[in-house]
Amino acid sequence: MINILIVEDEQPISNLIRVNLTESGYSCDVADDGMQAADMIEQNRYDLILLDIMLPKVNGYELMEYIAPTGTPVIFITAKNDVADRVKGLHLGADDYIIKPFEIVELLARVEAVLRRYNKGESKITVGDVEIDTQSRCVRKNGRQVDLTMKEYELLLLFIRNKNIALFRETIFERVWQSDYLGDTRTVDLHVQRLRKKLGWEKMIVAVYKVGYRLEC
Amino acid sequence: MKFAWKVFLSTVIVIAIVFAVGGYVLITSFFASALSRETDRALEENQLMKLAYESAATTYVNQGTKLTDEAVVNSVSSLENGGRRGIIVSDENYKKIFPATGATADEQLMREMDKDRVYRISESGGRYNITVCCSTSVGDRTVYLETSRDITSIFQERETQFDTYTEWSIVLLLLSALVMLVVSMFLTRPLTRLSATTRRIAEGNYDVRMKVKGEDEIAEFTQDFNAMTDAVQDKMYALENTARQREDFVASFAHELKTPLTSIIGYADMLRSKQMKPEEMFLSANYIFTEGKRLEALSLKLLELMVLERQEFEKRRINPRLLIEEIEGLMLPIMENAGLVLKTAAQNAVVMIEPDLFKTLLVNLIDNARKASEPGSLIELYGRVDGRDYVFCVRDHGRGIPEEEIKKITEAFYMVDKSRARAQNGAGLGLALSDKIAHMHGSRLEFKSIVGSGTLVCVRIRRAARRTRP
């Protein structure tokens, strides 16, 4: 189980992050201010810390200096989106940053990415009868290898990392194709069709009316 | 050209001119007096010769001898003293009688004779002579008696003096130039230092100051310069401070805006993309609602603040007692709801205020008092005349404000107890707004607070002058 510490003084936001990370299978603790966070870091071992900058008592930058020697990966959550602030955070040893307001998909993707970088993410993911090895990028169904294109593989990972979350077509496009969505739904639909067919997931990847798709399992 | 050089050169030039003119005048006047002395002597000598000749000639006449050329020569030759006096005697036709050889008489001088004696200074071959001529009549004979005197020495002396003077004045000039060089460098050194200081300040060392020495104009200037630097530094710090405050405002604003937005967007995102249990849906929707409310409160307060900065507002004469009574009517139900006791007291007076803005100010203060108080405690609003002023005060018996926070509480978005302020939907703008309104009335908020026992906030404004009735 991966332990994540959320340091955020705004209760609605910390709750939002906690609920979503928990649903994605992480174990979460929440600290309301810098002092409490420092205490918790001292007592427990965390795989990742999500750190707000504007905190009461001890602010995020100061806390960062405390965390850095422990080598725990950190993602800043900040309302300041000017370059100087981001650079300052990264200089202090943060691995990534998320700018408020953020979408849940983005939060999960960044958490996932940082964990993967630290080899903390699971390298073998099993969903139903499909097994994915993220290190060799190998996908097997019932032990038999399934050949997927690059985009299909990315699409599969996106679905698996956002289980039971309806993914909007534009979100899928932006995440997988890494470019702005210009209203072309055909590309997304086509790739989803092919993925369904290759994995035999016609019933698991559900079309959500007027929205997009959702992986149900 | 450097100022030191200007001072140096102009002084040296002046000294040179003074030396030259002074020396010339001095030497010339020496010379003139020597010349006039020599002239007097020559005239005297001539007179003497004339008398001597006359007495000798008269002897001849008395002896009954005719005064021939020979007699004249005899009379004169004894006076000649070996030719040193340069006596020349001519007859009435300007024909030379004596000496037989040698110098010729100055005929011109004899012709010019209109008085009994004339003289001329002449130069020949580097020698200067003064020639004096007079006419004398003894018996029936008139002769012209000419004497001359060598005055080369005084001319030579003048030349020598000029030479010596020139040499000395060159030496003195060089010496004084040297002194002036040092002096001008010394005098302009403060300026050099001043310019060095200015350069350092220009490079960004704003703490640099000049040392003030003595009491001359430069010292005064240095003092003024330091005063100017102080003023500039103060101004700069003030500007920096304003810039910092503005930056803080923008940063706080971004934070205050994005915090509720994050919740709203996040929970809305969850609602639209997840299948959730009813109670989760309710919780999410509730978060969206409360955070939306918070955003609303923030935007309204912010709008008020913005409007306040632009608005032209009109002050009116008003009795503050009526204002306080109106606020009491407005706030009583709210205070009762919160389980608080509101007491008001007001003296009659006339003040010039914008009633709506002032109402906002006082309501904000009472609202803050409410937030700081526990149920059952007392909140007082009172107005009283104090000399030429009228003072509005709001007193509570709540938690109080720590002393070090008091300076910051009127800054926008500043919250002493953030989590508590959040819970009460505070945006951290109420006091910023109230302080702005107080400023518009030429006043400011004055806080007195003791942690744990309460806070007193006062606004002091000048009372309006009594209206003169027609």
Side-chain angles (χ1 to χ4, degrees):
Chain A
M1 198 67 149
I2 287 169
N3 286 316
I4 297 178
L5 176 65
I6 302 159
V7 189
E8 166 66 67
D9 61 321
E10 296 290 334
Q11 195 266 330
I13 297 176
S14 63
N15 181 61
L16 176 74
I17 297 172
R18 188 182 53 77
V19 167
N20 283 291
L21 290 181
T22 308
E23 279 182 13
S24 294
Y26 302 105
S27 140
C28 298
D29 286 335
V30 174
D32 291 326
D33 62 58
M35 290 302 285
Q36 198 190 338
D39 289 344
M40 290 172 80
I41 291 163
E42 205 173 36
Q43 284 159 15
N44 308 310
R45 210 192 59 78
Y46 291 101
D47 297 301
L48 177 67
I49 297 170
L50 298 179
L51 186 58
D52 187 19
I53 306 270
M54 282 182 152
L55 286 172
K57 294 178 191 167
V58 177
N59 77 31
Y61 293 130
E62 289 160 349
L63 195 62
M64 186 63 226
E65 283 167 28
Y66 177 77
I67 297 168
T70 68
T72 312
V74 173
I75 298 177
F76 269 120
I77 301 174
T78 173
K80 302 176 174 181
N81 69 344
D82 55 274
V83 177
D85 281 306
R86 278 181 278 165
V87 169
K88 185 177 178 186
L90 295 176
H91 264 304
L92 285 172
D95 292 274
D96 206 351
Y97 54 86
I98 299 174
I99 294 164
K100 290 180 189 174
F102 50 83
E103 283 178 42
I104 290 157
V105 178
E106 186 191 357
L107 172 78
L108 294 177
R110 290 195 188 261
V111 167
E112 177 77 38
V114 170
L115 287 174
R116 193 163 6 140
R117 206 179 306 152
Y118 280 80
N119 285 323
K120 283 180 174 172
E122 296 148 272
S123 61
K124 283 201 167 57
I125 308 167
T126 312
V127 181
D129 49 3
V130 174
E131 189 186 274
I132 301 153
D133 186 336
T134 52
Q135 295 202 315
S136 61
R137 294 175 78 99
C138 212
V139 182
R140 288 171 204 279
K141 186 179 166 74
N142 296 324
R144 273 185 45 220
Q145 187 161 332
V146 181
D147 289 327
L148 294 180
T149 65
M150 259 266 284
K151 295 292 170 203
E152 284 162 358
Y153 177 77
E154 297 280 332
L155 190 61
L156 175 63
L157 277 187
L158 184 69
F159 274 122
I160 285 170
R161 286 183 181 136
N162 296 284
K163 273 181 266 178
N164 293 320
I165 294 176
L167 293 169
F168 283 60
R169 282 196 180 84
E170 52 260 51
T171 313
I172 295 173
F173 194 84
E174 281 165 18
R175 289 278 146 207
V176 176
W177 277 266
Q178 305 280 327
S179 63
D180 283 342
Y181 181 67
L182 298 170
D184 178 19
T185 64
R186 289 282 302 139
T187 316
V188 174
D189 290 339
L190 192 73
H191 279 79
V192 172
Q193 295 302 337
R194 302 208 30 96
L195 190 64
R196 272 174 171 166
K197 205 176 163 195
K198 283 184 178 175
L199 295 173
W201 274 10
E202 281 84 358
K203 284 191 178 141
M204 287 177 75
I205 298 176
V206 180
V208 182
Y209 182 62
K210 278 191 175 173
V211 171
Y213 298 95
R214 181 171 62 224
L215 176 64
E216 287 182 352
C217 55
Chain B
M1 188 152 69
K2 282 202 168 180
F3 186 63
W5 285 108
K6 285 185 189 169
V7 170
F8 168 71
L9 280 180
S10 54
T11 323
V12 166
I13 288 170
V14 167
I15 291 175
I17 291 172
V18 166
F19 267 140
V21 172
Y24 178 77
V25 168
L26 200 69
I27 292 170
T28 311
S29 82
F30 278 154
F31 172 74
S33 74
L35 191 64
S36 89
R37 203 167 53 240
E38 285 300 313
T39 310
D40 285 350
R41 264 183 159 167
L43 291 173
E44 239 169 66
E45 201 176 50
N46 184 265
Q47 173 72 9
L48 225 80
M49 290 305 108
K50 184 187 169 189
L51 288 176
Y53 162 75
E54 275 172 0
S55 76
T58 309
T59 316
Y60 275 95
V61 173
N62 286 352
Q63 283 168 355
T65 322
K66 190 169 182 334
L67 206 56
T68 56
D69 284 358
E70 206 175 332
V72 173
V73 171
N74 281 339
S75 320
V76 176
S77 59
S78 60
L79 303 172
E80 231 303 32
N81 197 10
R84 219 166 41 83
R85 286 183 176 133
I87 296 172
I88 299 169
V89 182
S90 310
D91 63 10
E92 47 268 78
N93 298 321
Y94 313 126
K95 189 174 166 287
K96 190 173 84 175
I97 305 171
F98 175 86
T101 56
T104 52
D106 192 343
E107 200 179 322
Q108 181 98 28
L109 201 62
M110 283 180 269
R111 287 182 196 282
E112 273 171 14
M113 178 95 67
D114 51 351
K115 295 176 281 176
D116 57 341
R117 186 169 283 119
V118 292
Y119 70 92
R120 179 205 303 281
I121 295 162
S122 59
E123 188 254 335
S124 76
R127 310 290 300 173
Y128 289 86
N129 279 295
I130 178 160
T131 311
V132 186
C133 184
C134 68
S135 65
T136 174
S137 302
V138 178
D140 53 352
R141 188 115 192 225
T142 301
V143 292
Y144 290 97
L145 192 67
E146 195 183 303
T147 57
S148 65
R149 200 179 155 75
D150 189 345
I151 52 166
T152 310
S153 69
I154 63 167
F155 280 89
Q156 274 171 348
E157 201 175 337
R158 186 175 67 166
E159 291 304 314
T160 323
Q161 274 175 347
F162 269 134
D163 288 347
T164 319
Y165 186 79
T166 311
E167 278 163 24
W168 272 104
S169 46
I170 286 171
V171 169
L172 284 174
L173 198 62
L174 287 176
L175 219 65
S176 60
L178 200 68
V179 171
M180 271 320 296
L181 193 67
V182 173
V183 167
S184 61
M185 291 294 176
F186 175 76
L187 284 180
T188 54
R189 209 177 45 170
L191 290 179
T192 320
R193 277 192 297 144
L194 203 63
S195 102
T197 311
T198 316
R199 231 172 294 129
R200 282 175 64 193
I201 292 172
E203 280 163 11
N205 286 324
Y206 298 102
D207 297 324
V208 179
R209 292 291 179 278
M210 291 279 294
K211 244 184 252 161
V212 181
K213 279 186 200 160
E215 280 170 10
D216 57 1
E217 288 89 340
I218 290 181
E220 251 171 60
F221 177 69
T222 310
Q223 243 158 10
D224 292 345
F225 179 82
N226 283 346
M228 185 196 74
T229 317
D230 283 343
V232 168
Q233 196 180 15
D234 286 351
K235 186 81 195 162
M236 212 177 54
Y237 284 151
L239 281 176
E240 265 174 19
N241 210 25
T242 316
R244 187 189 59 78
Q245 273 178 3
R246 190 164 302 150
E247 250 170 53
D248 286 354
F249 180 88
V250 170
S252 309
F253 176 66
H255 184 257
E256 290 307 307
L257 189 70
K258 285 182 177 176
T259 301
L261 273 178
T262 307
S263 298
I264 292 171
I265 291 174
Y267 285 106
D269 196 19
M270 268 172 80
L271 281 176
R272 71 168 190 171
S273 58
K274 279 190 183 179
Q275 285 178 316
M276 295 164 82
K277 290 185 220 111
E279 57 266 40
E280 282 177 351
M281 281 175 69
F282 168 77
L283 267 177
S284 300
N286 192 44
Y287 276 129
I288 293 173
F289 180 78
T290 51
E291 292 299 291
K293 274 289 183 195
R294 187 169 138 198
L295 204 56
E296 183 196 24
L298 170 74
S299 58
L300 285 180
K301 277 278 193 305
L302 205 62
L303 197 66
E304 274 183 71
L305 206 61
M306 303 264 178
V307 166
L308 214 55
E309 280 183 359
R310 298 230 158 74
Q311 203 179 47
E312 298 268 317
F313 69 109
E314 204 180 327
K315 288 186 204 165
R316 282 190 313 200
R317 297 171 69 84
I318 209 162
N319 184 347
R321 191 171 63 81
L322 299 178
L323 188 79
I324 287 174
E325 279 170 5
E326 195 184 333
I327 291 169
E328 187 189 11
L330 204 70
M331 294 303 283
L332 259 182
I334 300 172
M335 301 314 263
E336 275 170 14
N337 261 345
L340 295 165
V341 185
L342 176 67
K343 276 191 179 171
T344 63
Q347 285 182 313
N348 285 313
V350 180
V351 289
M352 284 285 281
I353 52 175
E354 210 291 327
D356 287 332
L357 288 181
F358 224 79
K359 216 189 295 172
T360 308
L361 191 168
L362 292 175
V363 166
N364 268 334
L365 293 183
I366 294 171
D367 212 39
N368 280 349
R370 173 180 68 81
K371 287 173 182 172
S373 299
E374 300 299 323
S377 81
L378 173 72
I379 291 171
E380 295 163 84
L381 165 65
Y382 58 90
R384 61 186 167 82
V385 175
D386 181 20
R388 294 185 58 189
D389 299 336
Y390 195 87
V391 189
F392 294 87
C393 288
V394 175
R395 184 199 294 278
D396 68 55
H397 302 277
R399 288 197 315 285
I401 308 160
E403 204 181 327
E404 64 273 14
E405 308 271 2
I406 285 181
K407 262 183 276 173
K408 295 186 264 180
I409 52 177
T410 54
E411 280 174 25
F413 300 116
Y414 191 81
M415 291 172 237
V416 176
D417 187 344
K418 209 168 150 191
S419 52
R420 203 185 155 95
R422 286 265 182 283
Q424 289 163 327
N425 241 352
L429 285 173
L431 280 180
L433 198 64
S434 301
D435 197 48
K436 186 138 262 169
I437 295 172
H439 269 292
M440 292 165 86
H441 289 86
S443 179
R444 60 195 180 84
L445 300 181
E446 290 164 36
F447 291 87
K448 278 192 192 109
S449 186
I450 297 166
V451 174
S453 77
T455 306
L456 171 70
V457 194
C458 291
V459 189
R460 177 182 291 271
I461 58 169
R462 187 52 62 93
R463 279 195 291 144
R466 203 172 290 277
R467 181 176 283 167
T468 46
R469 292 184 187 281

